[in-house]
Amino acid sequence: MKKLKIKNLSPTPLLIVLAVFIFISIPIRVFQLTNCIDPKTGFWAAQDFTALLLYILIIVFAVVAFVLSFFSATMSRPQFDENKDTVYGIFSIVFAFAVLAQSVLSASNLLSLASTFSVSLEGGASIVSLLISNGALSLGLEVIFGLLSAIYFVINAIGALTGSERISYHRILALSPVIWMMAKLIFHFIDPINYRYVSQLFLEILLYCFAMVFFLSFARIASGVNEEKSMEIIWFTGVMTSLLSFICAFAPLILMITGKGNLIPADYPLNFADLGLAFFSTSFLFTVTPLTSEVSED
């Protein structure tokens, strides 16, 4: 007698869980920014139960996401070049312009750092050590690869809007978002501040770690390099990137919209790239979600 065997389980429930955790986490983060964090320093002014609660929510979601991503099903590779996807294409363009805007701001910060070079060099410091210690090298890489990443996602958007095969032709350029995220991570790690006491910095470090792996898997899938073994990874890191980017960027956006932008820590303002990443990663997950489950017989 033949037995029915579930071949593919739709990962749609993970998107539902993601939406629930986003709607729970963002109000908690808004409360923290308005009541618990010093807007001048970004440090915790008063740690109440929401500090631990938010971290617990992230950990619980990570466990649920891991289980549903790696044990639910073998998901098929997204076909970037076969069908038009207007929603995904629009969010790709939005993300590209958000990355471009953030890169321009980073370039402005780089110019500010450059003004301190001559004074520091007079103290006997070498150029290389100065570039590394003050974050200028990592910030410069962030600007360069941020601009290249913006170009890459414009190409991605054109392919999604026209249904043409464009993104798979740019395998080298596909690594730009990965290096961009690495540069952002390095810039944060240079900061000697205790990450545990600066909540936004700690959350951004978590975000960039997951986003770096997400973009690496994205590059492999889009380029057709061992993509079959990347779907579970891109799903897990994709939902984690979506949750963390909404927490990091959407809460400050709400404060700005409601006229409370003065409560956003000056050293950790609204990051346009993180906000664009929230919508891009989420739209990608919807793009590759199989709508039905397949059942096969053995």
Side-chain angles (χ1 to χ4, degrees):
M1 179 181 292
K2 295 181 177 180
K3 296 181 180 180
L4 289 176
K5 179 183 177 182
I6 301 298
K7 182 181 179 181
N8 281 327
L9 296 177
S10 173
T12 302
L14 184 53
L15 296 179
I16 298 174
V17 174
L18 171 64
V20 171
F21 272 78
I22 287 175
F23 282 114
I24 294 175
S25 300
I26 290 179
I28 293 175
R29 186 60 184 158
V30 171
F31 174 82
Q32 290 177 347
L33 289 172
T34 54
N35 295 275
C36 306
I37 297 175
D38 186 347
K40 294 181 179 179
T41 63
F43 279 63
W44 287 100
Q47 289 199 37
D48 62 355
F49 75 98
T50 63
L52 184 59
L53 177 61
L54 184 60
Y55 295 141
I56 290 175
L57 286 173
I58 293 173
I59 293 172
V60 170
F61 179 75
V63 173
V64 173
F66 181 85
V67 171
L68 292 180
S69 296
F70 286 90
F71 295 97
S72 288
T74 301
M75 288 159 282
S76 58
R77 175 191 183 277
Q79 302 298 322
F80 291 102
D81 57 335
E82 290 189 354
N83 301 307
K84 294 181 181 180
D85 192 329
T86 304
V87 174
Y88 175 64
I90 290 174
F91 281 121
S92 295
I93 288 181
V94 170
F95 182 43
F97 279 99
V99 173
L100 178 62
Q102 197 62 47
S103 297
V104 171
L105 291 176
S106 296
S108 176
N109 294 334
L110 183 61
L111 291 176
S112 298
L113 286 176
S115 64
T116 65
F117 283 177
S118 59
V119 176
S120 300
L121 287 174
E122 289 177 359
S126 67
I127 295 179
V128 175
S129 62
L130 180 61
L131 290 174
I132 295 175
S133 62
N134 69 357
L137 180 59
S138 56
L139 192 59
L141 291 174
E142 181 182 334
V143 172
I144 294 171
F145 287 98
L147 295 175
L148 291 175
S149 297
I151 296 172
Y152 179 69
F153 287 109
V154 167
I155 296 172
N156 182 30
I158 294 174
L161 294 173
T162 62
S164 60
E165 185 177 0
R166 291 175 178 269
I167 193 169
S168 60
Y169 297 153
H170 304 276
R171 296 185 177 184
I172 302 299
L173 193 61
L175 295 176
S176 297
V178 181
I179 303 175
W180 174 53
M181 282 295 160
M182 290 177 62
K184 292 170 79 69
L185 264 177
I186 294 172
F187 183 75
H188 277 333
F189 279 126
I190 290 174
D191 198 331
I193 293 175
N194 188 318
Y195 309 114
R196 189 164 57 90
Y197 295 121
V198 186
S199 61
Q200 183 70 13
L201 185 59
F202 181 71
L203 290 171
E204 286 182 0
I205 288 175
L206 289 178
L207 167 60
Y208 297 150
C209 286
F210 282 108
M212 183 172 59
V213 182
F214 170 74
F215 283 128
L216 180 59
S217 300
F218 184 93
R220 293 173 63 182
I221 293 171
S223 303
V225 179
N226 200 19
E227 67 273 17
E228 294 83 3
K229 297 182 179 180
S230 298
M231 285 307 300
E232 290 84 1
I233 297 175
I234 201 170
W235 257 95
F236 173 60
T237 56
V239 293
M240 290 302 300
T241 297
S242 178
L243 175 66
L244 289 167
S245 54
F246 269 110
I247 293 174
C248 288
F250 205 74
L253 178 64
I254 292 176
L255 292 183
M256 291 184 65
I257 294 175
T258 56
K260 298 180 179 179
N262 60 305
L263 297 177
I264 302 174
D267 292 336
Y268 307 98
L270 172 63
N271 190 299
F272 297 108
D274 292 351
L275 185 61
L277 177 58
F279 292 104
F280 171 79
S281 58
T282 306
S283 66
F284 173 80
L285 294 173
F286 276 98
T287 295
V288 300
T289 303
L291 299 180
T292 58
S293 300
E294 297 179 11
V295 179
S296 63
E297 291 184 355
D298 279 345

